[in-house]
Amino acid sequence: MSGSGLVLPRHRVPAESLIALAEGDGDDHVLDLLVSAERSRRLLLLRLLDEMTSHGVPEVSDGPVPLTPAWELLARAQHAAPDAVDKVLMYPQTGMWLSSALRRLRGTDRETTPLWVVLGHLSAVAAAAGIRAGLDFTITVPMRHGYALVPTLGAAELTAPGPWTSAQVEAAAGQAWITTPNRRVQVAPDSDRGRPGWRPLRWITAGNGDSELALALDDLDPYRIYPRPSAPQRLPDDRVARWQELFEHSWALLLRDEPQTATAMRRGLISFSPIEAGERLRPRSASTGDAFGGVLVSEPDDAVQLAATMVHEFQHTKLSGLLHLTSLYTADASQNEERLYAPWRDDPRPLGGLLQGIYAFTGVTRFWRTHRHSDVGRTPELGHFEFALWRSQLWSAFESVCDHWRLTPLGRRFLDTLRNRCAAWLDDPVPDVPGRLGRMCAAHHRARWRAHHLRPAREWTDATALRWIDAADGPAESAETGTRLAPDRSAMHLDSLATLVRHRLQGTSGHGAGQNTDPTRAVLQVRGALEGDALLAAGQPNAARRSYLAHLSADPDDAAAWAGLGGALTAEGVEPEAAGLLTRYPERARAVQRALVASSGRPGDPVRLAAWLGRALPAS
């Protein structure tokens, strides 16, 4: 398409658009800006792909899917029906493929699919545009694992001699077929499911008229899953019906509680790509700027969860679109980019990742702030808990990054606007029980993250351990701990306490309900949880303390137990010095305990050790 004479518009971000995005979703003009810029970006990527392959790529030039016919067909389609080309070009999976193909050509992607199959996907894109434009043509497209894909339309399932081969797409007089030497399959619209061998792309719809939203439920496109292409995993019809039902309820909920968000989603969400579900109350979802408008999402537990997930991932979509236009932070030229605490992640995150999370969870917090008052279901406390948890964690993230030296002036203004909005939510009243549980879970996540990922300097740790052995009054008050980040890859499921609280508030833990649920059954349902966590979530801090101590007796180095012990002591209102140390700096107790075991073979009493270390802390 490089010779089509297209002139791309210039794009700029007016200050009022930036503020509109920070304060909410922005009006139609702001979303049009992001979508228009993304279209220009896709066209530029296509042009770059053309330039990088114009002198021939050996594996492709001599392979079964030449690129020249694809460029010619795209140019014809663009001339005949530009909207048809845009429909395929702006499909999220097209963007993912473009970025993947360019990374492959640059040698920065080690994906093992043959290069001719990756680049040959251009022919499949062209075929889709040609069919949509009503053109007559014949073109060769790649087949993957027995499927020949026509993006945005569907795929033909054909017998293939191996994982990588090719097929012909032929279109004439408004009809199209996909053929191999052994079979011929007619391309059919979604409503026609009776064509043998054809697997149409299915859609889910909700609302009507100006409130309607239709999303592709894509289980076919190899670029629907990232970072690596995936074979089709066709959903059974009953699961598609379940998605339809949940989506209808979620959309009605968003129209009621988040009408501005819903309006924006109609302009910026295009597809769901179903992925394998995790455990209950731990939904899985993801999005990427390369696939603007697409969301990877597991089948939700209920409509409210899906609505919250849609808000979350749509925030990512908008910020990714903005970052294609302007920079909110400068690049880190160092070899080891700084990693920061993100209250919604198990792992330390780079600045860009933390900013993405902040923007996403600003939307999530806003959602729960509204929905907790309109929820007419049986669990109103759950909405209050979610709001209390996320506003607390969001504020923690703001406190750590708002003055970061790598923020650009625009990034600082953007983040200040978000922070001011969150600050206004801190005074919103929340009922006592869910408010207390939200604060407890936020503190627990942070403590557990610190216990896993932070390490005091060896010199401080050894010296402090010697002072303990010598029965000194306490650690040196002015001692510098020299704490550093030491990412722990074993850190997983740090949100276990919050997940257990959700089970408690929904009455779904084990086979019972409420506070008297057997902790053993609850722990079996929540990966990464200790028995002490289940007791703490159930409102039994004294029993939780005993359980954590028993756990530390068996494993003195367990990060989760150290963090949990601090939460139990805080909830009990006992041993304030130990509770303070383990809530704020659990890595210190864990490190000193490790040194004691290494030097003497005898661990210290966890509560006494934490209280002794806590004597040197300034008042919080």
Side-chain angles (χ1 to χ4, degrees):
M1 295 174 66
S2 58
S4 62
L6 289 175
V7 177
L8 300 181
R10 290 183 177 272
H11 302 279
R12 56 183 295 271
V13 185
E16 60 270 20
S17 296
L18 185 80
I19 300 307
L21 282 171
E23 289 182 339
D25 296 293
D27 57 18
D28 290 352
H29 174 73
V30 176
L31 268 295
D32 284 344
L33 167 70
L34 297 181
V35 172
S36 176
E38 182 61 23
R39 177 181 180 274
S40 294
R41 179 176 177 271
R42 299 271 176 97
L43 288 170
L44 287 171
L45 293 179
L46 272 177
R47 180 177 295 174
L48 181 58
L49 181 66
D50 187 16
E51 292 173 354
M52 294 182 73
T53 58
S54 61
H55 299 298
V57 179
E59 184 183 346
V60 178
S61 300
D62 300 328
V65 185
L67 300 184
T68 299
W71 292 118
E72 293 173 347
L73 179 56
L74 274 175
R76 287 176 58 203
Q78 177 68 31
H79 179 75
D83 288 347
V85 176
D86 279 355
K87 187 79 172 179
V88 184
L89 178 70
M90 292 301 292
Y91 193 59
Q93 282 65 277
T94 301
M96 191 68 240
W97 160 71
L98 268 170
S99 297
S100 299
L102 291 170
R103 285 193 293 268
R104 184 71 179 273
L105 287 171
R106 292 190 182 107
T108 59
D109 189 333
R110 299 184 182 278
E111 203 263 311
T112 58
T113 303
L115 183 59
W116 71 263
V117 175
V118 175
L119 298 183
H121 189 77
L122 177 69
S123 296
V125 170
I131 292 171
R132 286 185 172 277
L135 301 179
D136 294 350
F137 65 89
T138 299
I139 196 169
T140 303
V141 299
M143 285 180 59
R144 297 169 180 254
H145 305 286
Y147 285 84
L149 179 78
V150 184
T152 74
L153 296 174
E157 187 173 6
L158 301 157
T159 302
W164 321 113
T165 184
S166 61
Q168 294 285 322
V169 180
E170 304 168 2
Q175 294 187 319
W177 296 264
I178 300 176
T179 63
T180 66
N182 302 317
R183 194 171 183 189
R184 181 177 173 88
V185 172
Q186 186 170 6
V187 175
D190 176 64
S191 58
D192 186 352
R193 299 174 183 270
R195 306 291 175 89
W198 177 247
R199 305 292 177 257
L201 177 66
R202 293 173 292 193
W203 294 74
I204 52 178
T205 60
N208 54 73
D210 290 342
S211 69
E212 184 180 64
L213 177 63
L215 297 178
L217 193 64
D218 197 335
D219 51 11
L220 294 169
D221 197 301
Y223 293 97
R224 73 192 187 280
I225 308 291
Y226 32 83
R228 295 287 177 263
S230 299
Q233 291 183 312
R234 196 65 167 163
L235 287 178
D237 287 344
D238 64 324
R239 302 324 300 162
V240 176
R242 174 64 175 160
W243 273 102
Q244 175 65 41
E245 177 187 12
L246 288 168
F247 181 52
E248 288 175 1
H249 291 302
S250 297
W251 188 239
L253 186 158
L254 287 171
L255 289 171
R256 181 193 68 196
D257 293 347
E258 293 275 326
Q260 187 181 14
T261 300
T263 298
M265 282 181 181
R266 293 185 68 246
R267 308 179 77 85
L269 276 188
I270 300 172
S271 72
F272 281 167
S273 296
I275 55 177
E276 184 179 351
E279 63 189 74
R280 180 168 173 76
L281 301 181
R282 269 182 171 156
R284 301 173 62 223
S285 66
S287 54
T288 173
D290 289 337
F292 183 95
V295 176
L296 297 179
V297 59
S298 60
E299 184 178 310
D301 299 323
D302 55 41
V304 177
Q305 186 184 93
L306 179 57
T309 299
M310 289 172 67
V311 171
H312 177 151
E313 297 301 341
F314 188 54
Q315 291 284 102
H316 282 308
T317 293
K318 289 182 295 176
L319 186 56
S320 294
L322 177 64
L323 290 174
H324 288 159
L325 288 170
T326 188
S327 296
L328 301 182
Y329 56 94
T330 60
D332 189 335
S334 67
Q335 295 296 314
N336 298 303
E337 184 179 359
E338 177 187 18
R339 293 294 193 270
L340 303 164
Y341 171 60
W344 34 80
R345 295 280 300 214
D346 295 335
D347 56 331
R349 300 293 289 160
L351 177 62
L354 181 56
L355 293 182
Q356 280 280 0
I358 285 174
Y359 191 59
F361 282 97
T362 298
V364 170
T365 307
R366 184 192 68 226
F367 168 81
W368 285 110
R369 179 175 183 258
T370 302
H371 180 69
R372 66 197 178 110
H373 294 303
S374 61
D375 185 4
V376 295
R378 296 177 299 168
T379 56
E381 283 194 332
L382 181 60
H384 290 299
F385 164 75
E386 297 288 2
F387 173 64
L389 170 66
W390 295 121
R391 77 172 174 183
S392 179
Q393 293 192 318
L394 189 59
W395 190 252
S396 172
F398 280 125
E399 292 290 273
S400 69
V401 78
C402 266
D403 294 323
H404 200 281
W405 65 272
R406 286 175 54 203
L407 290 173
T408 63
L410 199 61
R412 194 176 302 276
R413 183 176 181 184
F414 186 78
L415 212 57
D416 283 347
T417 302
L418 288 172
R419 185 177 185 272
N420 290 338
R421 192 171 194 205
C422 181
W425 297 338
L426 297 178
D427 293 329
D428 283 7
V430 175
D432 179 65
V433 171
R436 175 175 50 79
L437 289 171
R439 292 188 298 273
M440 178 181 73
C441 290
H444 180 269
H445 187 282
R446 185 178 184 89
R448 193 165 169 183
W449 186 94
R450 291 185 66 96
H452 272 288
H453 296 298
L454 298 184
R455 297 286 183 275
R458 180 68 178 269
E459 294 78 8
W460 177 89
T461 301
D462 290 345
T464 303
L466 284 175
R467 288 182 64 84
W468 169 267
I469 292 170
D470 292 342
D473 290 340
E477 293 187 9
S478 60
E480 172 56 52
T481 64
T483 299
R484 62 182 177 85
L485 180 69
D488 179 0
R489 293 187 178 182
S490 72
M492 298 177 66
H493 312 303
L494 304 191
D495 64 341
S496 59
L497 184 62
T499 305
L500 286 162
V501 167
R502 293 183 180 104
H503 278 275
R504 167 189 168 182
L505 295 178
Q506 281 202 348
T508 58
S509 298
H511 300 286
Q515 301 184 30
N516 298 320
T517 299
D518 180 353
T520 302
R521 291 180 176 176
V523 168
L524 291 176
Q525 288 200 346
V526 178
R527 284 179 292 177
L530 303 180
E531 180 189 60
D533 299 335
L535 291 164
L536 191 56
Q540 302 174 45
N542 182 272
R545 172 170 55 86
R546 294 195 302 270
S547 180
Y548 289 130
L549 288 172
H551 202 93
L552 287 170
S553 177
D555 183 2
D557 195 43
D558 190 276
W562 279 110
L565 179 59
L569 295 174
T570 300
E572 271 192 287
V574 300
E575 301 286 353
E577 289 179 331
L581 185 285
L582 293 176
T583 299
R584 295 164 61 190
Y585 306 107
E587 71 278 4
R588 298 183 186 179
R590 186 186 181 207
V592 173
Q593 187 77 298
R594 186 186 295 122
L596 291 172
V597 171
S599 62
S600 68
R602 296 194 307 274
D605 175 85
V607 176
R608 286 183 54 234
L609 176 61
W612 181 80
L613 290 168
R615 294 174 191 172
L617 293 183
S620 59

